[in-house]
């Protein structure tokens, strides 16, 4: 070929190529400009204008995924679902097995109120890769987005079978059931999770806890787990879940039986049972706590926390008796009737067992302190309490909190026995203890003031009370104020009567009720018009109440109300009358009448709210 | 039994005396001066003249909230109550039955036993043309419904709390009851923190994953499906329209917090979709704002929707907008003022504003204050923050009934957040803010009087 011909051909080819490139570039640039403009319209919310441009761009470049996505998005914004469906179908002709797109098409059919077509498309999506877990995840996700929870559950279950893995989608299915408030099936799925992996127990508990606050939720969950336990009693995680549900529902008896099984199956040697017993004690389910602690002691003699379990047993016994003591008038219990077996004896025996088995330990000291409290507060056995506390004081020097409480209580026992010197020594011993024991210190200081009062050293008592009453936050301040005002009021006006009153009060403190009664009556007789007479009269009522002479007590209170209409204790006295009728004599009508009288006469009394509450209780109001 | 019989006899005796008193009541008698004179003379002379129980609602009252409960309880016993508007901050006068006195005592409500002559003096003072006071007779305990979903929601409702505390019984109604026309059984309905726009309170941004939110959405969707609606928003709009119909036929509606603006927005949006895809699966109508029909609203007009689905606010009716409110408001300086109305000429607004304080502590809610410029002209403003655009409390008529909107969530909890424990009203017995709620409850019990001209 001649060189000039070759040059000519090259020139033509070059020109042709250049022209083609210019045309192509011009076309591409035009599409790009349209896309940018459309995006700008889209951002400004002008979807109509955006769609027009996207459509033109798509017409020029129908393989461009960006244009396809943008156009689809804009159609959806404009709720042009038919157009969106056509667009996707057009795209699917190129990639017919795009699961994501098929799943999305189904969702758009739902928006277009065409559930049948949606289901058909979703089925087609599943058929593309029927044994792939991801297929079900994607299609299920689209169904959930379309709020078709039941369909999603069905699909996940189909997925399990198709993929040959029954453990698939357990968490998803359980969650879907729970939000549909089908708590039984939700729990069944969670049970499968636990069975598959017992380490998921905590996770499952937290999920189930989402509906155990509802009555229907906890009962459905409990029934489902009970069924599972019946079918498969050897799965410990099921038992743990059941025990947890029983505890959540406060079914402690049932939980106890399950915990026994758990303890055995886990070879926990009492540890599981002990944790359960401690919790039931805190929950005040004493009967179950007693059984559980007893079980530990009997079945696991080598249990590391055996002393604590024995102490827990004794404590549960003691507290269960406390719960039964319903006849508590004005905070003081009646004495146990002679001849009856004292109710706290089993608790005492148990504490003593701890003391003898673990001498010189803190748990033994704690046990002896409990024994002394029962002796002092429940049996009024002052000698017994003194003996226990004196022993404890000697043996508990290493355990400061126990020692300090022991000293305060010992002081109280000495005071009740009339041994005022030793009582003062004990209270004084508490004066210098650390700031961590402020309450004990303040109580001791108040007792010292009381000692002065009982010994008729009224000015000394007032000095001590003055210090105490400046501490506004202390628990003893109210008592201190009350005694201070009483002394101040009567010291000037009638000191002899005050002296006599202090003596009578001291007898009352020593539980010498008959002697105290005589003395108060004598004050009343000798000083019927004195300021102190109303207090004496009310004290007579109080003592008669403690002696279970309810009718006489009411008569004494009524006399006080009638003869001392100016007394500041009228409201308190009416409250006491109501309490005797309600708690002592079990006479609802009279109790209501007494509380009504209180409200009628003293609308603003500090007892009014309590009286109102009592009336409503007695009337059986729902509030 | 004997005691009960005794009480019955005493009550019967007093009832007879009360009837005699009613026959010569100065209130009735004042219409004729001659009868009034005779009545007054009788009142002054007769030693057997019946006693009255006056429940003052001024600062002497020990428990303002329970006092409303006593008034309601009295009505349930078929006894009448006179509400003495502006007399000692809106006191109640009841015939002197022993059972009423006893119940006051048991509930801790302060009352005064006054003679017939004293009562006559009070009525004369109240009726005096020179005093801005009036007496409204309450005759029948209103039947009360509270629109509340059956599921648990992590916030309390001030009206329910007030009714529970003051012991005023109520029924709960929900969408199906409303759509089945069961509202007609009630004189009064209360709406609280309910979203009638179908956007689930616009809590999505903060609580989309919270179990209560998820459960609420599923429950509402199921309810909508059950009642034949494609979307929750459609169902809620239908419910709003039913409630509006109920008002038109003579019902009383009281709404608080976000139920106020959400209710009107739902009515305005009857022909458009304002919900974003995160609420109903599809995008909102792009022309939703233009398509709002303000003529359908009860109280507001010309408002602008908050279109962002993640912003906790429905529209610009509320000021300051919810997310900004806590930052710009100071509880120490946030107060609103009640307007004073003429008791004799405007008894309804007067009833609704009875209080022992006319400057009330502010409190926040999803909807706290209404923008004054967006309130329709026929609506009466009952309270506002002086010198601002912020209106707190409004009232209006629609058809034969009325509506009252009160902004804010809980009058005694400045900023009540989701999950906060309910307010213990035992600690707020004299709450002026709560009193406004209870005024609304008693207001339907009032006997309609001829308007003075």
């Amino acid at each position: 070929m001649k060189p000039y011909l070759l040059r000519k051909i090259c020139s033509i080819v070059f020109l042709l190529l250049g022209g083609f490139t210019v045309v192509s570039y011009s076309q591409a640039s035009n599409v790009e400009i349209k896309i940018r403009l459309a995006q700008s319209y889209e951002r400004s919310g002008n979807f109509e204008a955006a769609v027009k441009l996207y459509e033109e761009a798509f017409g020029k470049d129908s393989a461009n995924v960006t244009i396809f996505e943008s156009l689809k998005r804009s159609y959806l914004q404009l709720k042009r679902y038919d157009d969106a469906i056509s667009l996707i179908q057009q795209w699917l002709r190129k990639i017919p097995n795009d699961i994501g797109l098929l799943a999305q098409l189904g969702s758009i059919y739902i928006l277009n109120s065409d559930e049948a077509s949606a289901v058909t498309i979703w089925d087609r999506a599943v058929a593309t890769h029927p044994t792939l877990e991801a297929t079900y995840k994607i299609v299920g996700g689209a169904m959930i987005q379309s709020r078709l929870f039941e369909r999603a559950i069905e699909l996940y279950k189909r997925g399990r079978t198709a993929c040959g893995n029954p453990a698939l989608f357990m968490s998803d299915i359980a969650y879907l059931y729970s939000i549909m408030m089908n708590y039984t099936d939700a729990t069944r799925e969670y049970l499968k999770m636990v069975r598959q992996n017992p380490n998921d127990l905590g996770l499952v508990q937290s999920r189930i806890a989402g509906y155990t606050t509802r009555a229907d939720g906890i009962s459905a969950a409990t029934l489902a787990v009970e069924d599972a336990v019946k079918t498969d009693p050897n799965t410990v995680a099921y038992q743990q879940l059941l025990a947890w549900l029983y505890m959540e529902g406060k079914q402690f008896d049932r939980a106890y039986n399950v915990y026994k099984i758990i303890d055995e199956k886990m070879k926990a040697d009492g540890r599981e049972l002990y944790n359960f017993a401690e919790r039931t004690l805190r929950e005040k389910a004493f009967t179950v706590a007693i059984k559980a602690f007893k079980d530990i002691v009997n079945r696991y003699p080598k249990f590391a926390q055996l002393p604590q379990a024995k102490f827990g047993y004794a404590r549960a016994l003691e507290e269960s008796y406390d719960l039964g003591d319903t006849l508590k008038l004005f905070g003081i219990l009646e004495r146990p009737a002679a001849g009856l077996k004292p109710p706290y004896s089993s608790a005492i025996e148990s504490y003593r067992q701890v003391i003898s088995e673990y001498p010189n330990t803190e748990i033994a000291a704690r046990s002896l302190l409990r024994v002394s409290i029962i002796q002092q507060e429940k049996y009024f056995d002052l000698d017994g309490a003194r003996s226990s506390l004196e022993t404890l004081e000697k043996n508990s020097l290493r355990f400061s909190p126990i020692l300090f409480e022991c000293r305060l209580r010992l002081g109280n026992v000495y005071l009740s026995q009339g041994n005022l010197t030793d009582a003062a020594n004990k209270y004084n011993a508490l004066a210098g203890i650390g700031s961590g024991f402020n309450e004990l210190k303040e109580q001791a200081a108040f007792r010292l003031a009381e000692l002065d009062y009982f010994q008729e050293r009224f000015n000394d008592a007032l000095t001590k009370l003055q210090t105490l009453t400046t501490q506004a936050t202390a628990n003893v301040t109210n008592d201190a104020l009350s005694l201070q005002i009483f002394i101040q009021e009567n010291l000037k006006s009638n000191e002899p009567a005050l002296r006599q009153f202090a003596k009578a009060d001291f007898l009352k403190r020593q539980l010498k009720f008959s002697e105290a009664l005589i003395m108060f009556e004598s004050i009343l007789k000798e000083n019927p018009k004195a300021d102190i007479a109303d207090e004496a009269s009310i004290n007579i009522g109080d003592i008669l109440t403690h002696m279970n002479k309810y009718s006489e007590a009411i008569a004494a209170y009524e006399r006080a109300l009638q003869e001392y209409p100016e007394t500041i204790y009228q409201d308190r006295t009416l409250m006491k009358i109501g309490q005797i009728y309600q708690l002592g004599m079990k006479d609802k009508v009279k109790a209501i009448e007494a509380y009504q009288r209180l409200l009628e006469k003293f609308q603003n009394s500090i007892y009014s709210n309590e009286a109102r509450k009592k009336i409503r209780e007695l009337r059986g109001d729902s509030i | 039994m004997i005691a009960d019989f005794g009480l019955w006899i005493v009550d019967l005796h007093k009832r007879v005396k009360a009837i005699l008193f009613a026959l010569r009541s100065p209130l009735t008698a004042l219409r004729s001066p001659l009868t009034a004179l005779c009545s007054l003379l009788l009142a002054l002379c007769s030693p057997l003249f019946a006693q009255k129980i006056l429940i003052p609602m001024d600062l002497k009252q020990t428990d303002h909230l329970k006092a409303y409960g006593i008034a309601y309880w009295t009505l349930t016993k078929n006894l009448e109550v006179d509400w003495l508007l502006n007399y000692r901050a809106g006191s109640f006068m009841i015939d002197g039955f022993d059972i009423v006195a006893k119940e006051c005592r048991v509930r801790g409500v302060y009352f005064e036993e006054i003679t017939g002559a004293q009562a006559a003096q009070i009525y004369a003072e109240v009726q005096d043309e020179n005093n801005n006071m009036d007496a409204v007779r309450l005759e029948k305990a209103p039947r009360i419904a509270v629109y509340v979903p059956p599921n648990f929601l992590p916030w309390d409702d001030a009206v329910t709390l007030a009714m529970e505390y003051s012991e005023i019984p109520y029924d709960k109604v929900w969408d199906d009851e409303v759509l089945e026309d069961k509202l007609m059984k009630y004189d009064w309905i209360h709406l609280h923190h309910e979203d009638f726009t179908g956007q689930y309170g616009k809590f999505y941004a903060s609580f989309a994953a919270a179990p209560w939110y998820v459960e609420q959405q599923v429950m509402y969707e199921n309810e909508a499906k059950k009642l034949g609606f494609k979307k929750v928003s459609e169902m809620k709009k239908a419910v709003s329209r039913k409630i509006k119909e109920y008002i038109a036929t003579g019902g009383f509606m009281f709404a608080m917090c976000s139920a106020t603006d959400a209710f009107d927005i739902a009515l305005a949006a009857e022909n458009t979709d304002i919900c974003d895809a995160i609420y109903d699966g599809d995008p909102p109508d792009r022309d939703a704002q233009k398509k709002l029909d303000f003529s359908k609203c009860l109280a507001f007009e010309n408002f602008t929707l908050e279109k962002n689905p993640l912003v906790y606010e429905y529209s610009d009716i509320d000021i300051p907008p919810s997310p900004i409110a806590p930052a710009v408001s100071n509880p120490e300086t946030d107060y609103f003022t009640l307007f004073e109305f003429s008791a004799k000429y405007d008894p309804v607004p007067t009833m609704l504003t009875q209080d022992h304080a006319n400057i009330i502590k502010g409190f926040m809610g999803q909807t706290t204050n209404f923008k004054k410029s967006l309130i329709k002209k026929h609506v009466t403003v009952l309270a506002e923050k002086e010198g601002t655009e912020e209106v707190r409390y409004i009232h209006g008529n629609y058809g034969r009934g009325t509506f009252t909107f009160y902004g804010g969530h809980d009058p005694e909890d400045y900023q009540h957040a989701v999950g906060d424990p309910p307010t213990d009203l035992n600690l707020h017995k004299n709450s002026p803010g709560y009193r406004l709620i209870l005024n609304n409850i008693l207001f339907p019990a009032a006997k309609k009087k001829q308007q003075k001209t």
Side-chain angles (χ1 to χ4, degrees):
Chain A
M1 194 178 284
K2 288 182 181 173
Y4 114 92
L5 194 62
L6 189 65
R7 268 201 309 271
K8 201 169 185 178
I9 290 167
C10 283
S11 303
I12 290 164
V13 169
F14 179 76
L15 280 170
L16 278 172
L17 276 174
F20 182 74
T21 310
V22 168
V23 171
S24 301
Y25 176 75
S26 155
Q27 277 183 351
S29 153
N30 194 19
V31 168
E32 203 167 300
I33 288 166
K34 279 185 178 165
I35 292 171
R36 281 197 195 147
L37 193 57
Q39 282 171 338
S40 166
Y41 278 129
E42 195 184 344
R43 273 196 297 274
S44 68
N46 188 349
F47 290 97
E48 285 85 357
V51 159
K52 209 175 160 192
L53 288 165
Y54 282 138
E55 278 174 343
E56 283 171 21
F58 191 68
K60 296 257 165 59
D61 185 3
S62 63
N64 187 323
V65 83
T66 311
I67 304 173
F68 165 72
E69 284 297 338
S70 304
L71 183 56
K72 186 181 68 181
R73 192 171 59 238
S74 299
Y75 279 147
L76 293 177
Q77 283 296 335
L78 291 169
K79 304 193 185 193
R80 286 170 60 177
Y81 301 126
D82 288 330
D83 292 327
I85 289 167
S86 300
L87 180 71
I88 295 174
Q89 280 171 338
Q90 191 183 333
W91 194 267
L92 281 170
R93 271 178 225 124
K94 285 180 239 167
I95 317 164
N97 289 341
D98 184 335
I99 298 173
L101 203 56
L102 286 166
Q104 197 184 13
L105 181 59
S107 295
I108 297 171
Y109 273 122
I110 293 294
L111 288 174
N112 208 26
S113 304
D114 184 357
E115 194 169 337
S117 299
V119 172
T120 310
I121 285 293
W122 281 328
D123 282 344
R124 189 178 138 193
V126 170
T128 56
H129 299 286
T131 53
L132 206 64
E133 184 186 336
T135 305
Y136 297 93
K137 268 272 177 205
I138 294 166
V139 178
M143 288 172 169
I144 292 168
Q145 195 196 335
S146 300
R147 317 294 289 172
L148 298 172
F149 303 128
E150 283 177 40
R151 281 200 184 280
I153 290 171
E154 270 175 44
L155 181 80
Y156 286 146
K157 287 185 176 173
R158 258 170 66 195
R160 278 179 183 171
T161 317
C163 299
N165 183 357
L168 279 180
F169 309 121
M170 285 184 298
S171 178
D172 304 86
I173 294 174
Y175 176 71
L176 287 172
Y177 274 132
S178 73
I179 62 171
M180 289 165 66
M181 287 172 261
N182 179 350
Y183 302 122
T184 304
D185 286 329
T187 310
R188 285 183 186 143
E189 286 299 319
Y190 285 130
L191 282 163
K192 284 180 194 165
M193 270 176 79
V194 167
R195 190 180 166 79
Q196 174 84 5
N197 182 4
N199 290 333
D200 279 347
L201 183 65
L203 172 74
V204 163
Q205 277 181 355
S206 69
R207 293 276 184 84
I208 293 179
Y211 51 84
T212 51
T213 47
R214 301 172 57 114
D216 54 342
I218 194 164
S219 75
T222 308
L223 284 172
V225 181
E226 279 174 345
D227 281 349
V229 165
K230 266 184 217 155
T231 319
D232 184 359
N234 291 323
T235 301
V236 178
Y238 284 1
Q239 303 276 6
Q240 286 173 312
L241 201 55
L242 184 59
W244 170 76
L245 280 167
Y246 282 147
M247 292 300 274
E248 289 286 291
K250 310 270 179 210
Q251 298 188 63
F252 299 113
D253 269 325
R254 289 181 170 196
Y256 167 58
N257 291 328
V258 182
Y259 271 109
K260 279 200 292 192
I261 297 166
I262 293 170
D263 206 282
E264 262 180 32
K265 288 195 185 294
M266 292 180 75
K267 301 194 183 346
D269 291 333
R271 194 186 62 249
E272 290 289 326
L273 213 47
Y274 177 73
N275 290 338
F276 164 76
E278 283 287 318
R279 188 171 159 194
T280 49
L281 185 58
R282 283 197 299 274
E283 298 266 5
K284 300 191 182 301
F286 300 122
T287 315
V288 182
I290 290 166
K291 275 199 268 183
F293 280 123
K294 198 173 179 183
D295 229 20
I296 298 162
V297 174
N298 291 340
R299 289 165 65 181
Y300 304 103
K302 290 182 181 167
F303 179 52
Q305 286 168 290
L306 198 60
Q308 283 80 1
K310 287 181 178 175
F311 180 79
Y313 173 67
R315 195 91 177 87
L317 278 173
E318 182 191 344
E319 291 206 27
S320 70
Y321 295 136
D322 268 354
L323 209 64
D325 287 333
T326 51
L327 195 61
K328 291 175 184 170
L329 286 175
F330 323 126
I332 299 177
L333 290 170
E334 42 175 354
R335 287 163 184 272
L340 289 174
K341 192 187 175 197
Y344 290 92
S345 57
S346 320
I348 289 187
E349 276 169 33
S350 304
Y351 284 129
R352 290 208 184 286
Q353 203 181 336
V354 176
I355 296 162
S356 67
E357 287 176 18
Y358 309 99
N360 303 319
T361 60
E362 188 177 351
I363 204 86
R366 229 174 255 292
S367 298
L368 190 53
L369 182 66
R370 296 308 314 170
V371 169
S372 74
I373 291 169
I374 295 172
Q375 288 169 323
Q376 183 187 357
E377 292 182 0
K378 312 296 180 192
Y379 292 165
F380 305 100
D381 173 11
L382 297 177
D383 288 334
R386 193 194 64 207
S387 163
S388 299
L389 289 166
E390 283 174 347
T391 310
L392 181 61
E393 193 184 23
K394 276 181 218 152
N395 300 335
S396 64
L397 294 173
R398 286 181 296 141
F399 316 116
S400 304
I402 299 171
L403 178 67
F404 297 150
E405 189 177 346
C406 163
R407 283 190 176 145
L408 181 72
R409 288 186 172 278
L410 197 50
N412 293 345
V413 171
Y414 287 144
L415 173 59
S416 295
Q417 288 186 319
N419 180 356
L420 302 187
T421 312
D422 284 344
N425 287 339
K426 293 299 156 205
Y427 296 140
N428 281 317
L430 292 171
I433 61 175
S435 59
F437 302 95
N438 273 347
E439 196 173 338
L440 288 177
K441 265 200 307 199
E442 286 152 7
Q443 280 188 38
F446 177 65
R447 296 284 176 230
L448 285 168
E450 275 195 322
L451 282 181
D452 286 334
Y453 158 70
F454 289 138
Q455 292 173 97
E456 299 162 40
R457 298 195 301 254
F458 300 122
N459 288 320
D460 291 344
L462 285 174
T463 309
K464 290 188 176 83
L465 291 169
Q466 180 66 37
T467 315
L468 279 171
T469 51
T470 55
Q471 299 168 23
T473 54
N475 282 339
V476 295
T477 307
N478 276 344
D479 291 339
L481 268 172
S482 176
L483 184 58
Q484 186 187 40
I485 292 165
F486 176 70
I487 296 172
Q488 281 169 340
E489 272 181 354
N490 295 294
L491 189 57
K492 281 186 186 165
S493 61
N494 198 344
E495 194 176 336
L498 178 64
R499 289 185 184 286
Q500 217 178 341
F501 193 99
K503 282 192 186 95
D505 214 2
F506 188 32
L507 287 169
K508 189 178 154 197
R509 175 64 61 89
Q510 293 174 82
L511 310 175
K512 295 175 178 173
F513 290 139
S514 305
E515 292 165 59
L517 194 60
I518 292 165
M519 195 162 275
F520 278 124
E521 277 170 347
S522 138
I523 294 168
L524 204 56
K525 202 172 170 187
E526 289 164 23
N527 308 277
K529 301 287 174 202
D531 287 344
I532 212 165
D534 56 348
E535 272 269 22
S537 184
I538 291 163
N539 265 282
I540 290 169
D542 291 351
I543 291 171
L544 288 166
T545 307
H546 295 319
M547 295 165 86
N548 300 343
K549 295 178 176 176
Y550 298 130
S551 301
E552 289 172 54
I554 287 171
Y557 289 137
E558 291 287 4
R559 201 167 54 237
L561 290 172
Q562 205 177 339
E563 289 175 13
Y564 308 102
E566 302 300 318
T567 177
I568 58 164
Y569 305 115
Q570 282 242 339
D571 54 347
R572 198 177 74 185
T573 308
L574 278 167
M575 192 72 201
K576 288 178 178 188
I577 292 174
Q579 283 181 306
I580 294 176
Y581 277 129
Q582 184 185 351
L583 302 168
M585 300 170 84
K586 319 272 184 211
D587 186 335
K588 268 189 190 181
V589 177
K590 292 257 173 74
I592 290 176
E593 274 176 24
Y595 295 132
Q596 283 277 11
R597 275 169 68 198
L598 165 62
L599 294 178
E600 199 173 331
K601 289 190 171 177
F602 308 100
Q603 277 191 32
N604 299 320
S605 159
I606 54 165
Y607 300 101
S608 297
N609 279 342
E610 187 61 21
R612 285 190 190 109
K613 209 172 126 195
K614 300 268 182 205
I615 290 172
R616 310 207 80 167
E617 273 171 25
L618 290 165
R619 285 200 320 202
D621 289 4
S622 56
I623 290 170
Chain B
M1 181 69 118
I2 291 168
D4 285 349
F5 182 71
L7 282 174
W8 183 78
I9 289 288
V10 171
D11 275 346
L12 185 67
H13 175 63
K14 288 197 171 176
R15 196 179 276 262
V16 171
K17 286 205 289 181
I19 292 164
L20 289 172
F21 170 69
L23 286 173
R24 55 198 179 195
S25 158
L27 187 68
T28 328
L30 271 173
R31 281 164 183 77
S32 146
L34 183 66
T35 329
L37 187 65
C38 296
S39 170
L40 202 60
L41 283 172
L42 271 171
L44 294 171
C45 302
S46 172
L48 290 171
F49 204 66
Q51 280 196 332
K52 286 268 183 183
I53 287 172
L54 175 73
I55 302 178
M57 294 296 275
D58 51 15
L59 295 176
K60 230 175 163 186
Q61 180 52 257
T62 48
D63 195 331
H64 286 96
L65 307 188
K66 282 209 190 274
Y68 286 91
I70 286 287
Y72 189 95
W73 176 86
T74 307
L75 294 171
T76 63
K77 303 288 168 199
N78 294 320
L79 301 173
E80 288 172 345
V81 176
D82 284 338
W83 195 357
L84 309 180
L85 304 182
N86 290 350
Y87 179 79
R88 295 182 69 181
S91 309
F92 299 108
M93 184 85 89
I94 305 169
D95 283 340
F97 294 110
D98 198 33
I99 50 162
V100 178
K102 275 189 176 166
E103 201 57 32
C104 283
R105 285 187 199 110
V106 169
R107 297 194 190 189
V109 172
Y110 173 77
F111 66 99
E112 293 169 7
E113 282 174 303
I114 57 173
T115 62
Q118 287 169 317
Q121 268 180 347
I122 291 171
Y123 279 118
E125 185 184 341
V126 166
Q127 294 288 321
D128 188 331
E129 286 296 335
N130 295 319
N131 290 330
N132 184 18
M133 297 177 188
D134 201 3
V136 172
R137 179 144 293 177
L138 306 179
E139 291 186 318
K140 191 170 159 275
R143 291 155 303 173
I144 295 169
V146 177
Y147 176 79
V148 58
N151 62 318
F152 164 79
L153 289 172
W155 53 79
D156 61 32
D157 165 5
V159 177
T160 316
L161 286 178
M163 287 195 289
E164 297 279 354
Y165 178 75
S166 54
E167 300 172 53
I168 294 175
Y170 63 92
D171 289 342
K172 290 178 180 175
V173 294
W174 188 232
D175 295 330
D176 42 359
E177 282 101 342
V178 174
L179 293 170
E180 285 166 19
D181 280 330
K182 289 189 179 162
L183 273 190
M184 299 305 166
K185 289 197 305 191
Y186 300 96
D187 301 303
W188 192 87
I189 183 173
H190 159 62
L191 322 172
H192 197 62
H193 197 113
E194 191 51 50
D195 176 6
F196 292 93
T197 69
Q199 297 175 92
Y200 309 104
K202 293 197 80 177
F203 282 117
Y204 188 86
S206 309
F207 296 101
W212 64 265
Y213 182 91
V214 176
E215 187 182 291
Q216 179 199 29
Q217 188 172 354
V218 174
M219 200 196 78
Y220 283 22
E221 284 167 353
N222 290 345
E223 184 79 359
K225 208 179 280 180
K226 191 182 90 186
L227 296 170
F229 294 94
K230 194 182 159 201
K231 287 181 181 184
V232 171
S233 55
E234 293 304 320
M235 175 180 72
K236 290 291 178 186
K237 283 185 208 171
V239 168
S240 309
R241 288 194 293 272
K242 273 284 175 201
I243 294 174
K244 193 178 160 193
E245 275 173 40
Y246 159 79
I247 302 168
T249 52
F252 297 83
M253 188 257 264
F254 175 68
M256 272 190 84
C257 197
S258 58
T260 55
D261 49 351
F263 184 79
D264 255 16
I265 292 169
L267 291 174
E270 187 177 332
N271 297 315
T272 186
D273 175 8
I274 63 168
C275 301
D276 197 90
I278 56 173
Y279 297 120
D280 64 357
D282 64 2
D285 186 338
R286 307 309 305 179
D287 292 329
Q289 179 65 44
K290 284 186 214 154
K291 290 183 186 168
L292 292 178
D293 183 353
F294 298 118
S295 69
K296 300 207 161 135
C297 298
L298 291 179
F300 306 111
E301 60 187 359
N302 303 327
F303 49 81
T304 307
L305 296 171
E306 172 52 67
K307 289 178 192 161
N308 187 340
L310 303 178
V311 170
Y312 180 56
E313 187 64 273
Y314 300 111
S315 73
D316 60 347
I317 294 173
D318 177 34
I319 48 168
S322 294
I324 299 163
V328 298
S329 301
N330 175 1
E332 300 303 317
T333 56
D334 189 4
Y335 284 87
F336 60 93
T337 311
L338 287 173
F339 284 161
E340 193 178 346
F341 296 90
S342 163
K344 292 187 178 70
Y345 295 92
D346 284 322
V348 172
T350 309
M351 271 185 258
L352 297 179
T353 50
Q354 290 301 288
D355 218 319
H356 50 287
N358 70 337
I359 295 176
I360 318 264
K361 242 179 7 171
F363 52 97
M364 314 300 301
Q366 183 176 7
T367 302
T368 305
N369 294 292
F370 316 120
K371 192 179 281 175
K372 198 186 272 177
S373 55
L374 303 181
I375 297 171
K376 289 188 173 184
K377 300 293 168 279
H378 66 82
V379 174
T380 307
V381 173
L382 302 174
E384 66 173 18
K385 196 168 179 180
E386 274 184 359
T388 69
E389 263 262 274
E390 298 171 24
V391 171
R392 173 59 70 130
Y393 187 31
I394 57 177
H395 174 76
N397 299 316
Y398 178 71
R400 293 168 60 202
T402 74
F403 63 89
T404 309
F405 289 171
Y406 187 17
H409 194 98
D410 182 333
E412 293 300 337
D413 188 0
Y414 188 71
Q415 197 183 326
H416 190 85
V418 171
D420 278 359
T423 301
D424 181 0
L425 288 186
N426 283 297
L427 306 173
H428 305 281
K429 297 173 179 183
N430 309 101
S431 164
Y434 267 98
R435 266 197 76 178
L436 297 179
I437 295 173
L438 293 168
N439 285 335
N440 278 274
I441 292 169
L442 278 192
F443 149 65
K447 184 184 178 185
K448 285 195 176 82
K449 283 205 291 191
Q450 267 198 329
Q451 188 80 3
K452 288 179 197 290
T453 53

